[in-house]
Amino acid sequence: MFDWYSLAAVCYVFLADVPETEDPAAPHSHFRRSMWFQRGWTLQELIAPRRNVFLSHSWRAIGTKKSLCKLIEGITNIDGDILLHRKPLHAVSVARRMSWAQFRRTTRIEDEAYSLMGIFGVHIPAIYGEGPDAFVRLQEEIMKCIPDQSLFAWGDILPFQPGSSTQWNLPHLRKVPVDELRASKAAYLLASCPADFGGESEVLEFLSLHELTSILGIPSSSILAHTITSHGVRMSMPIYHLTLPQYQSGSGQISIKLAILACRSGRDGYLVGLILAQGAPSNVYFIGGLDQTSERDEDDLFDDWSRYV
């Protein structure tokens, strides 16, 4: 479908919920709130064509993708250069592309994955009835085709800046027991849906393995690209030990291990690392392990802790 839209000379977008008499740029306009911007399948309809013409409920032209570019960029958080084909999709990190779909909805859960195939240039068979496994298969196919580790940087981030402890400004911290990690989806490598790619994922930039090793000052031969095996995902990553102040008890320290990913924040340029929690046996690790709150509701037992910094 993505290729089909990309070959169109013009794509007409009929907005049944937008009147022609309204200024689309108004703060609470129907255009801004149109359901078209909230549907999963329309993401490719917006990005793939070189020219889109938006039509009101009375089939009157509202404007084009080019004339409304700034407005659409604000609504969708998609770069204007991507919308206008000034920048190729492969120049944008996997995590950021995933974030474009975080608020979009599909009637069938499998379409959360199928509607994104063109965004990443991959193909997977459509198997309706597989449920959330479709999104896992999409990520596995992305891993095979795109060497971008920002795919693993989803979920809550611990706000951390290197420097002295007075510069950290960290929230209350505690180590999350492994039993709690096992019960949470965030303890595993792959996300369960596009909604997981919010927050910091929206601004992540990917790095090549050569760029990462140059920044860390380690031999490039020490890191291997990730591959999918019958046992799961196999990768070689630089591991750093970090000691943080433990504010839960008012004193003491927390020692954690960070697996550094080949991506960085587009805001400040800092690298991103997955927090590792050691399980049993000792060679098994789960992702995450630092809780940012000192008082927690039972309903939020597995939702408040951070999986990466």
Side-chain angles (χ1 to χ4, degrees), residues 212-223 238 240:
L212 177 63
T213 54
S214 296
I215 292 172
L216 297 177
I218 59 178
S220 57
S221 59
S222 63
I223 300 182
Y240 281 76

Side-chain angles (χ1 to χ4, degrees), residues 260-277:
I260 307 301
L261 296 175
C263 58
R264 63 185 172 193
S265 170
R267 291 193 179 99
D268 48 37
Y270 289 134
L271 295 176
V272 173
L274 293 175
I275 303 169
L276 299 183

Side-chain angles (χ1 to χ4, degrees), residues 134-156:
F135 193 67
V136 174
R137 287 200 298 118
L138 173 69
Q139 293 172 92
E140 290 174 344
E141 193 64 26
I142 290 172
M143 277 191 284
K144 295 176 185 177
C145 302
I146 306 176
D148 181 351
Q149 293 184 353
S150 72
L151 173 66
F152 311 131
W154 54 270
D156 291 335

Side-chain angles (χ1 to χ4, degrees), residues 8 12 18 22 88 107 127 144 176 183 190 216 223 236 269 277 291:
Y12 292 94
V18 177
E22 187 180 64
T107 303
I127 309 173
K144 295 176 185 177
V176 179
L190 300 181
L216 297 177
I223 300 182
S236 175
D291 190 342

Side-chain angles (χ1 to χ4, degrees), residues 156-159 169-177 180 245-250 254 289-307:
D156 291 335
I157 185 171
L158 178 69
N169 192 28
L170 292 172
H172 293 277
L173 298 177
R174 75 172 183 112
K175 273 194 172 181
V176 179
E180 291 185 20
Q246 179 171 291
Y247 287 109
Q248 185 187 18
S249 60
I254 293 177
L290 288 185
D291 190 342
Q292 299 186 41
T293 58
S294 56
E295 296 182 2
R296 307 162 74 223
D297 295 330
E298 187 173 340
D299 292 342
D300 297 331
L301 189 59
F302 308 121
D303 297 326
D304 292 338
W305 50 266
S306 301
R307 67 189 302 276

Side-chain angles (χ1 to χ4, degrees), residues 57-104:
H57 65 39
S58 56
W59 295 91
R60 300 278 185 173
I62 300 172
T64 65
K65 182 163 64 173
K66 184 175 182 179
S67 66
L68 298 170
C69 183
K70 285 295 183 183
L71 176 58
I72 296 172
E73 184 176 1
I75 295 171
T76 63
N77 204 29
I78 302 173
D79 316 63
D81 287 342
I82 293 294
L83 294 172
L84 299 180
H85 292 227
R86 296 171 182 161
K87 182 179 179 180
L89 272 173
H90 63 74
V92 181
S93 73
V94 166
R96 178 153 176 76
R97 279 183 271 177
M98 284 288 191
S99 75
W100 296 339
Q102 63 178 299
F103 299 117
R104 292 176 177 263

